[in-house]
Amino acid sequence: MSISRRTLLKLVGLTALGVTAEKYVSVHAGSTSAKLVAKAIGAGKRLAGTKPAQKVRLAMVVDLRKCVSEQGCTKCIDACNKAHNIPDFGESKDEIKWIWKEPYQDAFLDQENFYMKDEFKNKKVPVFCNSCDNPPCVEVCPTQATFKRDDGIVMIDWHRCIGCRYCMAACPYGSRSFNWRDPRPFIKDINPDFPTRMKGVVEKCTWCDERVSQGLSPICVDVCPGKALVFGNLNDPGSEVRQLLKDNFSIRRKPGLGTSPEIYYLV
Amino acid sequence: MIEHAFRGNKRYWSWLVFLSLIILTGFYFYMRQFNYGLGITGMSRNVSWGLYIAQFTFMVGVAASAVMVVLPYYLHDYKAFGKITILGEFLAISSVIMCMIFVFVDLGQPFRLLNLMLYPTPHSLLFWDVIALSGYLLLNVVITRVTLDAEHKSTAPPKWIRVVIIVSIPWAVSIHTVTAFLLSGLAGRPFWLTAIMAPRFLASAFSAGPALLVVLCLVMKKLTDFDAGDEALKKLGLIITYAMCVNVFFILMEFFTTFYSGIPSDVSHMQYLYFGFEGKGKLVPWMWASVALAVVSLVLLIVPKTRENHRTFFVACITVFLSIWIDKGLGLVITGFIPSPFGKVVQYWPTIPESLITLGVWAIGFFLITIFYKMVLSIRMESEA
């Protein structure tokens, strides 16, 4: 078998591309081997890095050392609730939440450690939608009402959602809320710049897509008094998020599930 | 053919009126749910699927179980099932319709149902479930219509229908497999993330479904001239026995893997379901009732004497049905959500409106079964006369 110079060059080029792609997968995605197997059997519809890396992959870094939520700070939560017309029903059954606090050991359930630093044992961790790179909610949604934008934000079309709540079953982070009843009478003062929702649809944090589209940061990032939240482009090596992740040890929630959550916690 | 459904004795009519009242009650509460929202149910942010989806899961099994009479009759030419095959198919039709209604009443925005078709999404298992269920419904409607028509005219059914029947056999398996995949494909719900979910679904379906068919046959024997025949009932008894054994075996497999491996996220769900977790265990008495019913049923089924005696066999079938209903129509779906992804136990219990809506859908199922079986029996009586 003879291979022409041209073919050979092509092959070399393709191999190089393939190696780069695989490297990208292994750096970027959670369970690499599973993904490579999936890729091999052609089930790679939601593989990170199988297509050329997009220019922007938004991500959030939460510096838990700076967050003072255990001291009662709820600035990010309050600002979010107000900006997004989130109702307050005064009970937990119908509750809607976009950002909230969870004890460290509940937010990182698989990181059980009784002898952890007291500082973290008592820590309250702000949790929100992880806008996963492999979002299971997007995969299961039967109407594509929930979808991933090119910059990585996971969105919900409140006009298309049929309220089947399959996404709520699929989300490993409990990030999604359902409008069990009409939320409008329970919104303290309505922000006219943001839509209210109707009963029967699912909602969640969308990393303030309405602000991101205007070149702004999510409102929680802006109002954080300790500058504990940092938002930026993960695919830009010079971005602040990348610098923080380079210089600090970070963890993510349930990375072992292969969802590739894009919120990084500095501990 | 349908005209036979409009003729019947007083008992027939009072039964239908009784069912209609339950249906109307359910409808009234559905309208209340429609106006208020799904908050009228016991479901919450943490337990976001409840009785409706659990009933859906259970009824898909009953629907699929028709294959247990269709396969021996058409594929193995097992003549003894000649009288009951069409009853199995009508049971499938009624169950699939119940499934569809259960999904419908569970929707937050029911008027947007058609979005499922407007934006077909092959990467969602729910899309495939819609295809599987509606296809199965269509197949069984065609099959029952054509074969019953042939029986009505005392002619042999056309040859092409055999192809449709053969297709319906793997299709029946597919509806319950896809429904299992709906749950078992979710990485974030360890309770459902098990490869034997689909086999377990099939085993429970092939015991609970035929058990219901036997109960219906024995009730009809008591109330009408219909007799399924001793041989058919005996054979169904064997099928139920084997399927129930396999079903219990699968449940024990889950116990072993969960508790021996001891992974906390897996253990917590099983623990909640059977023993209670963090002092909470609303489902615990139910699950042990299910276990007790399963044990009773297995004894009655495995001992040939009690299996072949119609009275004890009837009890056995009721216990099989109830045991699996508790396991699948109550425990399996709800426990996937308890504890929550944060390890918290938020319990669920259906509310009264939710239970009455559920009861209403069951009544629709019984209503359909009644008029379908009435049609079959009247047509048979007519052709015999």
Side-chain angles (χ1 to χ4, degrees), chain B residues 127-163:
Chain B
F127 166 79
W128 289 106
D129 221 11
V130 170
I131 300 218
L133 286 173
S134 37
Y136 191 62
L137 179 62
L138 187 71
L139 284 171
N140 277 290
V141 166
V142 171
I143 293 167
T144 47
R145 164 86 213 174
V146 170
T147 51
L148 195 60
D149 196 44
E151 212 171 302
H152 189 37
K153 292 177 185 146
S154 308
T155 54
K159 284 227 170 68
W160 59 265
I161 197 67
R162 202 181 144 76
V163 180

Side-chain angles (χ1 to χ4, degrees), chain B residues 9 11 217-227 374 377 381:
Chain B
N9 59 19
R11 200 165 51 200
C217 284
L218 289 177
V219 167
M220 280 194 291
K221 195 181 170 189
K222 188 111 190 170
L223 300 179
T224 69
D225 303 329
F226 173 81
D227 186 1
K374 171 76 178 51
L377 298 196
M381 268 193 340

